[in-house]
Amino acid sequence: MTRHARIVDELGRLIVSGALGTERPIVPEELGRRFSASRTVVREALRVLESKGMVTARPRVGTWTRPPEHWDAIDPDVIAWRVAGPDRPRHMADLYELRLAIEPQAARMAAWHRRPDELAVLVATYGLMADAADLRAFQEADSAFHAALLRASGNPLIAQLHVPVVAALEEVPGDDVLAAHSLVVAMVLGKDADGAESASRRLLETVVPPLDHACRPSDHACRPSSHACRPSGHAGPACGIGELA
């Protein structure tokens, strides 16, 4: 990470934590001393944060931190800082609500559109999840799976939401988790739009700690079906690439 990138990162975290609050202006000279950086480097970092909606700068007024409602909520850095910040539980709940609103509809649209290239990726990433040797490999494959599902919707605006969706993932390997993902793949490949939407919602209820309004994974209605398809070479009914046509 370059010095410029490091300063942007540290300033972003300070703003999210409240250490650089809205009650007083940001003084570039003070930040320069804090980070042992030139005024030019600090100002460049502040311009990056301004582009993310986190600060505002005006002549004769100075640079000020902006309230969270002005921040670019789907910027990858802003999401990362908020997920790592003191208000993590609330932000994760917000991200979960976004997933609940977006992913089931994306699964429905994927079953409608059935884009062979994206469906092949969906099947392949599920296979990587099933074969993952460790947690990191599983989570990387899981991120690719959910990004592929959004792309398979055929809607470029939905596909762009993969950043906050992936940021909200906290899934760990397990038979119930794999079965829930597998059911989504099976419904999409089977051209069952209603089933795909339902399976995606069930997946979310299986892998995410539920909010007050969501059913709990322990409830019978939230349990994933054990009859989900699996990519060739894995236990259970196959969902091979030949089904993509």
Side-chain angles (χ1 to χ4, degrees):
M1 181 182 292
T2 65
R3 169 176 287 193
H4 173 265
R6 179 178 60 82
I7 293 175
V8 170
D9 183 65
E10 293 193 26
L11 286 176
R13 293 176 186 277
L14 288 172
I15 291 172
V16 168
S17 72
L20 286 179
T22 59
E23 68 280 354
R24 63 184 296 267
I26 296 172
V27 181
E29 292 79 8
E30 292 180 0
L31 295 179
R33 289 191 293 272
R34 177 173 187 158
F35 296 115
S36 300
S38 69
R39 181 169 178 162
T40 299
V41 171
V42 170
R43 288 195 178 279
E44 288 176 352
L46 289 172
R47 277 196 289 270
V48 172
L49 294 174
E50 187 174 17
S51 72
K52 300 176 186 295
M54 301 184 77
V55 303
T56 182
R58 289 184 294 169
R60 295 187 295 277
V61 175
T63 301
W64 293 76
T65 298
R66 303 185 78 190
E69 59 264 27
H70 295 286
W71 301 351
D72 184 349
I74 62 172
D75 178 88
D77 291 329
V78 175
I79 291 172
W81 293 329
R82 298 184 79 176
V83 166
D87 205 19
R88 172 186 169 85
R90 179 178 177 180
H91 190 55
M92 292 301 293
D94 289 343
L95 291 172
Y96 169 61
E97 287 184 329
L98 176 66
R99 291 186 67 189
L100 195 59
I102 296 299
E103 287 195 70
Q105 183 63 22
R108 167 179 285 276
M109 295 170 68
W112 283 342
H113 296 302
R114 289 182 49 79
R115 298 161 61 93
D117 52 343
E118 298 298 349
L119 296 185
V121 174
L122 195 66
V123 171
T125 53
Y126 174 80
L128 291 174
M129 290 175 63
D131 290 336
D134 53 43
L135 179 60
R136 180 175 179 178
F138 176 87
Q139 291 178 335
E140 288 178 352
D142 186 40
S143 296
F145 177 95
H146 289 277
L149 179 62
L150 297 191
R151 289 195 302 271
S153 72
N155 185 308
L157 298 179
I158 291 178
Q160 286 294 316
L161 293 174
H162 76 276
V163 172
V165 165
V166 168
L169 297 177
E170 294 187 304
E171 298 163 15
V172 296
D175 290 343
D176 57 338
V177 172
L178 287 173
H181 283 79
S182 178
L183 184 58
V184 173
V185 176
M187 295 297 101
V188 170
L189 295 182
K191 306 180 185 180
D192 185 343
D194 289 340
E197 180 179 352
S198 176
S200 178
R201 196 173 302 278
R202 185 173 296 178
L203 166 60
L204 288 170
E205 293 164 348
T206 300
V207 301
V208 179
L211 303 181
D212 291 341
H213 62 270
C215 69
R216 297 184 177 276
S218 58
D219 294 342
H220 179 74
C222 289
R223 294 182 184 275
S225 169
S226 61
H227 300 293
C229 78
R230 295 179 182 273
S232 178
H234 300 281
C239 51
I241 302 299
E243 296 177 350
L244 303 181

